[in-house]
Amino acid sequence: QILAQSGNLLDMFEKQTLLQNNLFPHLLISKIQQKDTASSLAKTTTQIRISGSGSRCINGIYKVDGEHEQAKSFFKLGTFEGQTTKFRIRLHEMEDSHHWYIYISASDLRGTDRSDVDFYSSLKTNRSDLPPRAGWDVIDNGEHPPPTLFFQSF
């Protein structure tokens, strides 16, 4: 609680300093513009291009596939272990956090009793309903380097 109170005092001090130096309106406008840009990007993005992944099978164009857990979901058809399957980018809710995953759902793998095939994950740290461009963790079946995502609107 003491730490929280000191944080509030610091916030008040920072706000007062910003107001005295006439910087607060500029920073506030900048924050609003960033939020509007992220919101606009989320609304207009119809596909994601993944490139640079060490797991080359996940590179390619992913199209919007509806929503999952209140965020856009994306997919592409590709080949994994000799079979055509759906690769997905989706948000999944864990006990106390949300993670984005690039993976193949077990239900999309015909003729196997495998669980999901996970390649990369990223903790959701913002309010956007789009996955992050970079900063993905390599997990399970993923290979270094992790991918970079590019948002596209058509």
Side-chain angles (χ1 to χ4, degrees):
Q1 187 173 5
I2 293 171
L3 186 60
Q5 288 175 346
S6 66
N8 288 339
L9 289 175
L10 182 59
D11 288 344
M12 287 180 6
F13 177 75
E14 288 175 339
K15 288 176 186 174
Q16 184 178 10
T17 302
L18 291 170
L19 284 170
Q20 286 174 346
N21 293 318
N22 211 14
L23 296 173
F24 190 73
H26 173 70
L27 290 175
L28 184 60
I29 290 169
S30 176
K31 291 273 187 204
I32 291 170
Q33 287 172 338
Q34 287 173 359
K35 184 178 178 185
D36 287 346
T37 300
S39 175
S40 175
L41 181 63
K43 288 177 186 173
T44 61
T45 296
T46 56
Q47 60 186 36
I48 293 175
R49 180 173 54 87
I50 292 183
S51 66
S53 168
S55 299
R56 294 188 318 211
C57 61
I58 70 140
N59 292 332
I61 303 292
Y62 290 70
K63 298 185 184 292
V64 171
D65 188 30
E67 285 195 3
H68 184 74
E69 300 196 18
Q70 300 178 349
K72 281 189 175 180
S73 171
F74 299 85
F75 84 99
K76 81 163 189 139
L77 291 177
T79 304
F80 181 75
E81 295 182 349
Q83 112 173 233
T84 299
T85 190
K86 223 182 219 191
F87 291 79
R88 300 175 184 270
I89 304 170
R90 276 192 173 169
L91 184 65
H92 288 278
E93 185 174 345
M94 310 308 253
E95 287 182 24
D96 58 352
S97 63
H98 289 80
H99 283 80
W100 287 98
Y101 284 91
I102 301 172
Y103 73 107
I104 300 171
S105 173
S107 63
D108 292 327
L109 292 170
R110 295 179 307 279
T112 71
D113 57 353
R114 287 182 79 148
S115 57
D116 290 351
V117 179
D118 298 324
F119 296 95
Y120 303 96
S121 74
S122 180
L123 178 65
K124 181 179 181 187
T125 58
N126 59 30
R127 294 181 183 217
S128 174
D129 67 347
L130 289 176
R133 293 179 190 271
W136 290 86
D137 295 318
V138 177
I139 58 173
D140 300 341
N141 295 284
E143 295 180 27
H144 285 282
T148 302
L149 280 63
F150 300 91
F151 304 120
Q152 300 173 333
S153 301
F154 293 99

